[in-house]
Amino acid sequence: MEPVFSVITVHFNQLPWLKSTVNNVLAQKGFGELIEYIIVDGLSNDGTLDYLHSIQFQNSIHRIIGRDKGIYDAMNKGIAQAKGKYCIFMNAGDHFCEDDILFHIHTTVSEFDVLYGDTEINYHDFTRTAKALPLEKFWKSLPFVHQSVIVKTSLLKDHPFDLTWRYCADYEQLASLYKKNHSFQYLNKTISVVMAGGASDMNRTKATREVFSIAKKIFNIGFAKKINFRFRIFSGWLINGVKKILPKKANGKLARAKYVLKK
């Protein structure tokens, strides 16, 4: 019997975080029956390869080891291997919020092309819940966090990540599916717990520029929305400049003030 879900983790030289994610995925209810696990490693040199060869769980863990052209190329390799009806990406260090979340989705949700939910974001000294935004906001950014999106594997195989985009190929992929009227279903549930500070977070201005280019291509946005993007690019550049001159502790306090104290 083919699995319902293919969980894909791409990884390079983050072994402690990888172990944490692997343990979380293996603890999912239905693993080995409903769920297969695909780990794509870019020839790590931190002991990962020995670890990958040591973990065993029937035939439900698949290892893809070899050089790649970056995170989205590695993700495409995982998609090509996937046998599940749906795929979800879980980066090293990230987790499913509950041990039965995929089982629950399988038993309660009807047929849709894309399922998405909310995300708990971990800032080390505090966490916040990022609620998924209305899909009408797709022109502006990805309305949800990528680790909380479950997409039909057949669609991902037909529309793999475009390696032209360094930071936002996931936005281009999902925005294209939305524009083509594929069915999206919001799950009023937190799906994943992710760590703050991913590639797009650390390169916010460059990522916003990519989203701007993609939005112009897919949504044909008008003058007012273009102004919105230009303001966000400028303010992001300004904020990044301030962050660079502030100590880490001060940046953490600013993030806490933004997301916690304002409540």
Side-chain angles (χ1 to χ4, degrees):
M1 185 177 70
E2 298 292 353
V4 177
F5 301 103
S6 296
V7 180
I8 302 173
T9 296
V10 300
H11 171 263
F12 183 70
N13 281 345
Q14 295 179 320
L15 181 55
W17 292 351
L18 175 65
K19 288 181 177 180
S20 175
T21 300
V22 168
N23 290 337
N24 177 262
V25 174
L26 297 188
Q28 277 290 306
K29 183 177 180 180
F31 186 84
E33 298 171 3
L34 296 176
I35 303 165
E36 68 168 0
Y37 193 22
I38 300 170
I39 304 171
V40 187
D41 183 80
L43 289 179
S44 295
N45 55 17
D46 62 347
T48 293
L49 302 186
D50 290 337
Y51 169 70
L52 290 180
H53 289 302
S54 72
I55 54 177
Q56 300 290 335
F57 201 102
Q58 301 175 359
N59 297 313
S60 299
I61 296 180
H62 309 285
R63 308 160 183 84
I64 304 173
I65 300 170
R67 297 198 183 281
D68 53 62
K69 300 174 184 175
I71 186 170
Y72 292 119
D73 183 42
M75 287 177 166
N76 282 340
K77 290 182 178 182
I79 292 168
Q81 176 81 28
K83 296 178 181 176
K85 182 176 181 180
Y86 290 94
C87 282
I88 182 169
F89 291 91
M90 200 61 57
N91 296 335
D94 300 332
H95 303 98
F96 288 103
C97 65
E98 298 170 358
D99 289 347
D100 64 347
I101 184 66
L102 292 181
F103 182 85
H104 172 78
I105 291 170
H106 167 63
T107 55
T108 60
V109 178
S110 301
E111 183 85 7
F112 289 94
D113 294 328
V114 181
L115 307 165
Y116 65 99
D118 304 323
T119 308
E120 184 176 315
I121 301 181
N122 184 354
Y123 291 82
H124 302 294
D125 59 340
F126 75 97
T127 62
R128 71 178 179 93
T129 298
K131 299 288 289 184
L133 300 176
L135 295 181
E136 291 77 14
K137 299 288 187 181
F138 237 124
W139 69 267
K140 192 174 184 180
S141 66
L142 199 62
F144 31 66
V145 176
H146 196 216
Q147 289 93 318
S148 292
V149 182
I150 303 169
V151 185
K152 273 189 176 176
T153 304
S154 59
L155 292 178
L156 296 179
K157 290 180 185 289
D158 289 341
H159 193 132
F161 295 105
D162 183 347
L163 303 189
T164 302
W165 309 108
R166 183 174 181 184
Y167 302 106
C168 299
D170 50 346
Y171 173 71
E172 189 278 336
Q173 182 190 72
L174 290 160
S176 296
L177 295 179
Y178 173 70
K179 184 66 174 177
K180 292 175 182 176
N181 293 319
H182 287 285
S183 57
F184 281 66
Q185 175 65 30
Y186 170 62
L187 308 174
N188 189 16
K189 199 168 184 65
T190 300
I191 294 178
S192 66
V193 182
V194 308
M195 295 191 299
S200 58
D201 276 345
M202 301 302 290
N203 298 276
R204 180 55 52 192
T205 301
K206 293 178 181 177
T208 304
R209 285 197 180 104
E210 283 198 358
V211 171
F212 187 19
S213 296
I214 294 165
K216 285 189 291 185
K217 180 183 74 170
I218 294 177
F219 297 109
N220 192 27
I221 58 176
F223 178 77
K225 291 177 179 178
K226 289 178 181 178
I227 293 298
N228 176 282
F229 269 108
R230 296 192 189 282
F231 174 77
R232 285 162 54 199
I233 289 169
F234 173 76
S235 60
W237 172 81
L238 193 63
I239 291 168
N240 284 342
V242 171
K243 283 182 175 180
K244 286 179 181 178
I245 63 176
L246 289 177
K248 266 188 176 181
K249 194 171 285 187
N251 282 322
K253 288 180 178 179
L254 287 175
R256 187 179 183 88
K258 179 179 179 181
Y259 293 117
V260 178
L261 300 182
K262 74 176 182 179
K263 291 183 179 180

